[in-house]
Amino acid sequence: MSFVPKTQAFSGKINSVTLGTGDKAVVLGGQNTLPFHTFDAPTENAPKIGVEISDLASEWIAPALQEFYAGCQTMADYARRAETMPGADFLTLHFESADPNGRNRSVEECVADAKAVAEVVSMPIAIMGCKNVEKDGQLFAKIAEALQGKNIVVLSAREEDYKAVGASVALAYGQKVGAESADDINLAKQLNIMLKGLGVAPTSIVMNVGTAAVGYGYEYVASTLDRIRAAALAQSDADLQMPIIAPTSTDTWGVKESVMSEEDMPEWGNQEERGVQMEIATAAANLTGGADAVVMRHPAAVAAIKQFITELV
């Protein structure tokens, strides 16, 4: 008797959310299977990789990063170069220097950078702020206005500012909005409900449900991703069927394995290799847990995860 595999069918399906315009537009979500379960059904849209471009990228010390971005001066220069990175699907502009407790760059300066990037690249654009709720609210509204028609996604709307961000980003300027919560399925669901209550369409919402570098409480991330995907697919929970974007690079390049020098910890080996491996391991964990996209930084890590995705879908 020949072997007949038994497939697992789900009644629920992840929403399809389009980012960008034209030939370089990408679609997140759309699947009705668990991550990489191609033996149950074909993957509707393969997971995507976003490349982080920080306005503090000139301070990155990894030699391969410095080599890849050699000669870049402005954020637009970095973005134009990042667009050539093998494996890149979209660009993520990270305005971390806007933090009032840091360099406190003005909203106007950040908006000018975003507009300059949008003029020279054709890939979809995601926006990350500085984690200051008040400053991010101002920044997101102005960038959403300046990049109207580019179909960007702004990360993130949080419980504290979802009304302002949702109204200005999605309703006023027709952009996509990211709902950011912290490793809790109930918080993630409630935030989606509140955004929909404002009038934001489900196909204009993605989720950032929280991430962490592997080994740093990642079991909470894994549990949250698993529970969200199970609820979305097996229970057809429409409030959890939004695609997930996991900002991986910001966590992995800030842990001690990535920042401790070889002089301080010679037994740990090459510092850059440690950071790359940390980024690869975390991105792979996010994707197998259910993320539809990861934000990454290092060319070697991006190449490895692109191969990982290609071989599994």
Side-chain angles (χ1 to χ4, degrees), residues 255-271:
V255 297
K256 62 183 180 182
E257 289 84 354
S258 301
V259 301
M260 292 293 286
S261 69
E262 294 169 52
E263 289 74 19
D264 291 332
M265 298 297 292
E267 64 272 25
W268 285 6
N270 183 274
Q271 181 181 355

Side-chain angles (χ1 to χ4, degrees), residues 214-236:
V214 289
Y216 286 83
Y218 191 83
E219 62 272 18
Y220 294 102
V221 180
S223 174
T224 302
L225 289 171
D226 286 346
R227 294 178 67 200
I228 286 174
R229 276 298 175 252
L233 297 176
Q235 300 171 25
S236 296

Side-chain angles (χ1 to χ4, degrees), residues 193-217:
I193 291 172
M194 292 189 295
L195 283 170
K196 291 198 296 182
L198 283 178
V200 180
T203 51
S204 291
I205 301 172
V206 301
M207 292 189 288
N208 169 13
V209 299
T211 188
V214 289
Y216 286 83

Side-chain angles (χ1 to χ4, degrees), residues 136-146 148 154 157 161-177 195 198 200:
D136 279 350
Q138 301 169 17
L139 179 63
F140 293 158
K142 291 297 184 180
I143 290 181
E145 179 183 13
Q148 195 169 5
V154 172
D161 63 357
Y162 77 93
K163 290 183 178 179
V165 174
S168 62
V169 171
L171 301 183
Y173 302 115
Q175 313 283 23
K176 303 299 193 298
V177 61
L195 283 170
L198 283 178
V200 180

